[in-house]
Amino acid sequence: MNIIATIAQEMSLPPQRVAAVVELLDVGATIPFIARYRKERTGSMDDQVLRALAERLDRLRALDKRRTEILRLIDAQDALTPELAEKIDMADTLTALEDLYRPYRQKRRTRASIAEARGLAPLADMLLLQKPFSGTIEQQAQQFVSTENEVPDAEAALQGARDIVAERMSDDADCRGQLRERYARTGRICTAAVSDAPEAELARAALANCAEFIRSIPDHRVLAINRGEREGGLKVRLEADAPTMIDILRRAFIRRDSPTQAQLELAAEDAWNRLIAPSLERELRAALTERASRAAIEIFGRNLHQLLMQPPVKGHVTLGVDPGYRTGCKLAVVDAGGKVLETGVAHFTIPGMDRRREEAKGIVGGMIRRHGVTAIAIGNGTASREAEAFIAELIASLPDNIRYAIVSEAGASVYSASKLGAEEFPDFDVSLRSAVSIARRLQDPLAELVKIDPRSIGVGQYQHDLKEAELSRKLDGVVEDCVNAVGVELSTASAALLSHVAGIGPALAKNIVAYREENGFHSRNELKKVPKLGPKAFAQAAGFLRLADSRDVLDATAVHPESYPAAKGLLERLGYRLEDARGGAPAALRERAAAIGIPDLAASLGIGEPTLCDIIDELIKPGRDPREELPPVVLRSDVLDMDDLKPGMKLRGTVRNVTDFGAFVDIGVHQDGLVHISKLARRFVRHPSDVVKVGDVVDVWILDVDKKKKRIALSMIEPG
């Protein structure tokens, strides 16, 4: 198989571009580096296309490795014919490969292998050859009767022969492929409730006694059925049209005028019922789960990307509130750069404790006044509803314009109790670390959330049912893409953030921080002095590490050091000095470049046109943050309750999670509402992610409120 040609065809990409990407990956280049600084070679592929290409490359190489192994194993049995070798070379899926290898695989003791050991293979050959013979088939079978071989009579001989034939039918790659395709196209997945166990109640209510076509069952329902089965609440089976399947076997193996037709008919039924149907059911269940898992992982990755890329709330001294009841609410004030200024605890969430609430007003109000707090981040966990009511009442009594936002606490406790949290705040109580994390999440979601295992952030569905390695690989890639898309300030970034920069892992990140604490950084070039940070790592990472106070203006931009000569040459050619670009070159620079002509200018500077355009963008707006182009975070000053919600009411909310069946929207009542996929738009919506993404600020209308079940049904379609 030509892997380059296969990928190029599947992804509709030029083969030379695919070959260039493969070459770069093979020499250790990272996806962010290739996407940003090798656009001429890749045709400006973005990071998502590059990751899809890299994943397909890995799968095809694994397929080729298995192909080579199968060829070796069959050849070792002296069974490899030119025709079989050609079929194996042409197989384009692992399933097709395994079908071809199936007859040669070492099997456990089967009915067929027992029959062969009893000398019945010649009789099975006679049944399959279907040549005329004298007498009856029972008379022919009588020749194989043997007390020594444990074949007591002709019927036992025929049964053994049919066992051999049934296995050969089951192992036929072409026939098996037809049956699998038909089963997948026409079969159904059926469920039934089998348990009264409490944990199975939800599965029974939503999924029991259902039957859906395998070809069209939604991915999220596959995962839900699997969970219901695993918890003991559901019995699941696949249902096929057995007569049609057996007829496929008949047409493949039985001639119309066959003298052994009756025996082959019995063998075909046995092959389907005993061997093929159970095997294909396992395969199709596995394929359904694999498909659903990949879709869920894609959704998780997409949601995580959008969560990490939420716009930061910059320039605010922020109070973080980690709500609680008995132990009180933990408080932490951080300055606009995230430095902790003060921490404390106040009790204001337990009803009836007026004295404690008055004390809390003094504590929280004092922190706000002392540090000039202008934004408050409230965690959305236990006691969040009461904490929000208190904060809203408090800031309404203050003269300053203070706003608050509800911030997801997902993963905050994981960070607080982690080794990283202990290293960052060794003298803080675990709960106070959570308050700091909540405040920083509002200020810069990306910089704070990278400290937490992405699986703990809670923006997916059925994450505990997914393959851990595949999910981790996907989410780690998303984090890497987001960090490098935004860029990292070398003088202040945490080791956790630095570890996700292209070419830098946890060990190098710690070395960078240690060097910075001892020496400081005055230029990008000083990165080369960091222990164990060699030329390869420098080349991969340098462009993503910014240094705002560097002596070299270009160090504050995303211009890669390898392109510094071209950037300086560009400025000189257009009549500017390097210092003219400090803080951003005049917008007229773009017009002057266009007047000369981008192709001619790029050729004279010895760089490609995409690189030249990127340099121009960076010189005009150095270190631009792509998150600034997104809708801002909604900051509130008042509070809503579910009792305030009425059907038809219009509200503005923030999308918190996107699933296969809809989107969950925070409308400020501590219970996210669901916009079902059918209520996202007037047009047909194939998937909710086609309409909304995590972090979007959207207008919604209340459809229904069920206070008992704490469910809010929303619509993004304006009534009428």
Side-chain angles (χ1 to χ4, degrees), residues 4 65 69-70 95 131 179 268 300 310-311 365 427 438 465 484 493 574 587 603 623-624 646 677:
I4 301 296
K65 184 178 180 181
E69 179 68 4
I70 286 174
T95 299
K131 290 183 178 180
L179 290 167
F300 204 132
Q310 284 187 103
D427 301 326
I438 289 168
D465 302 332
N484 290 283
L574 299 180
R624 65 190 185 281
K646 306 295 179 187
I677 187 171

Side-chain angles (χ1 to χ4, degrees), residues 350-379:
I350 301 177
M353 300 183 67
D354 295 340
R355 183 178 61 81
R356 300 297 293 272
R357 285 176 63 85
E358 287 302 316
E359 290 177 359
K361 287 181 181 180
I363 293 170
V364 179
M367 295 174 83
I368 290 172
R369 286 189 292 272
R370 278 193 297 277
H371 303 290
V373 169
T374 54
I376 300 174
I378 305 171

Side-chain angles (χ1 to χ4, degrees), residues 223-224 226-228 230-231 289 293 461-468 471:
L223 296 175
N226 288 352
R227 179 177 290 182
R230 190 168 54 253
E231 293 176 348
T289 299
S293 295
Q461 55 183 1
Y462 299 102
Q463 67 184 75
H464 300 296
D465 302 332
L466 308 177
K467 292 181 180 178
E468 187 173 333
L471 180 61

Side-chain angles (χ1 to χ4, degrees), residues 132-137 139-140:
F133 50 80
S134 59
T136 65
I137 189 63
Q139 291 172 331
Q140 294 291 328

Side-chain angles (χ1 to χ4, degrees), residues 44 100 103 125 161 199 304 311 323 459 477 498 559 618 644-645 668 681 711:
S44 298
L100 291 167
D125 292 338
E199 60 268 25
L304 177 63
V459 287
L498 287 166
V559 176
E618 280 298 317
D644 300 324
L645 303 181
R711 292 178 183 173

Side-chain angles (χ1 to χ4, degrees), residues 611-633:
T611 297
L612 175 59
C613 292
D614 284 346
I615 290 173
I616 291 172
D617 289 341
E618 280 298 317
L619 290 175
I620 294 173
K621 193 174 181 181
R624 65 190 185 281
D625 189 336
R627 298 174 297 175
E628 294 175 355
E629 301 169 5
L630 300 173
V633 173

Side-chain angles (χ1 to χ4, degrees), residues 124-145:
D125 292 338
M126 180 185 295
L127 296 180
L128 282 170
L129 286 171
Q130 304 173 72
K131 290 183 178 180
F133 50 80
S134 59
T136 65
I137 189 63
E138 286 77 14
Q139 291 172 331
Q140 294 291 328
Q142 192 66 36
Q143 303 174 41
F144 296 89
V145 173

